[in-house]
Amino acid sequence: MSVQTGNALEPIKRSSPRFESFKTFSKRLMKNKAAVIGGIVILFIILVGIFGPFLLKTDPNAQNILNKLQPPSKEHWFGTDNFGRDIFTRVIYGTKLTLKVGFLSVFLGGIVGVTLGVVSGYYGGVIDTIIMRIMDVLLAFPGILLALAIVSVLGGSLTNVIIAVGIFSVPAFARIVRGSTLQVKKLEYIDAVRALGAKDTRIIFRHILPNILSPIIVQATMRIATAILTASGLAFLGLGAQPPAAEWGAMLSDGRSYMHNAGHMVMFPGMMIVIVVLAFNIFGDGLRDALDPKMKQ
């Protein structure tokens, strides 16, 4: 379509619906100052985890018994531990391990949970009953207890922690996706597409999943915080990353015997866990508010 201005025809520029939707979402998110701060902190932590190990020249596992339990100083910003290892270096290297557990476990749980939730909500009947009863059984256990049981069976390692936390994340995704699928599949355009002969897989991947991405994204963001907290708890109990890996939960476990005379050993790893978990929770709340259709005016 075009309009005439003078002797020339100028086309009317229209933005795509997706761009307009993203623009509206961005404006709503930017209004939430806490969420913006949380997002900046998350971005900074991710950059530290990616590039930090390349910028540091110190080996996180290098021991120097003569310098053990040194307080924070210009040479050792976060002090040293009971083996004389630089805690600042270990915290930086631990950022990568912590984010790896958080993102991979949630990705694993999300893939399985979203698949089960869509299948359960779309097909219903016996399939829905079986899947949801399995999810109820998993939800009957506290998250940390379920992850602890799984790791105890599989053995203590970083890979097994990712699997355990991923399994414990499945029910949350499955229930949210099932509820969203039940709402979307009742819409008239789904019936129209089905009447035109579209297969179930096409309906699910082309018409249902794109319309339920918002709750999935919010759940994934907030679940990362839970995954990091759970993985740190398992490492604290000795069932996560094994020594001498620089993992924040394991560093807390190493420093608990020295809290009275070297409190810095637990203060800095604990502080990092609190900051990262809080940042993901705040950012997740902001995403939920920005993506919630009920809050649009």
Side-chain angles (χ1 to χ4, degrees), residues 134-143 145-146 171:
I134 295 175
M135 297 301 105
D136 289 340
V137 171
L138 293 178
L139 286 172
F141 297 92
L145 183 60
L146 177 61

Side-chain angles (χ1 to χ4, degrees), residues 270-285:
M271 180 180 65
M272 292 301 299
I273 293 174
V274 171
I275 291 174
V276 172
V277 170
L278 186 61
F280 273 105
N281 279 326
I282 292 175
F283 185 66
D285 284 337

Side-chain angles (χ1 to χ4, degrees), residues 90-135:
R90 291 179 61 78
V91 166
I92 297 300
Y93 274 82
T95 303
K96 182 178 180 179
L97 288 178
T98 301
L99 293 179
K100 177 181 178 181
V101 173
F103 281 100
L104 289 182
S105 60
V106 171
F107 177 78
L108 175 63
I111 291 295
V112 178
V114 169
T115 301
L116 293 177
V118 169
V119 171
S120 177
Y122 184 79
Y123 291 102
V126 178
I127 296 177
D128 180 31
T129 302
I130 294 175
I131 293 177
M132 285 300 103
R133 295 300 76 80
I134 295 175
M135 297 301 105

Side-chain angles (χ1 to χ4, degrees), residues 62-72 76 78-87 258 261-262 264-265:
Q63 301 182 13
N64 187 351
I65 302 300
L66 297 178
N67 288 329
K68 68 177 184 179
L69 303 180
Q70 293 295 315
H76 303 286
F78 289 177
T80 60
D81 63 8
N82 54 314
F83 292 106
R85 297 174 296 191
D86 185 70
I87 295 179
Y258 303 90
N261 59 340
H264 62 274
M265 282 189 62

Side-chain angles (χ1 to χ4, degrees), residues 25 92 113 216 241:
F25 159 74
I92 297 300
I216 295 175

Side-chain angles (χ1 to χ4, degrees), residues 98 101-102 105-106 141-151 157-158 160-169 222-241 247-250 252 273 277 281:
T98 301
V101 173
S105 60
V106 171
F141 297 92
I144 184 67
L145 183 60
L146 177 61
L148 181 62
I150 296 172
V151 173
S157 70
L158 195 63
N160 292 340
V161 167
I162 293 174
I163 295 174
V165 177
I167 292 175
F168 128 74
S169 300
M222 302 188 72
R223 204 68 190 176
I224 291 174
T226 305
I228 291 174
L229 201 58
T230 303
S232 298
L234 293 175
F236 181 82
L237 297 174
L239 295 174
E247 202 276 337
W248 293 344
L252 281 177
I273 293 174
V277 170
N281 279 326

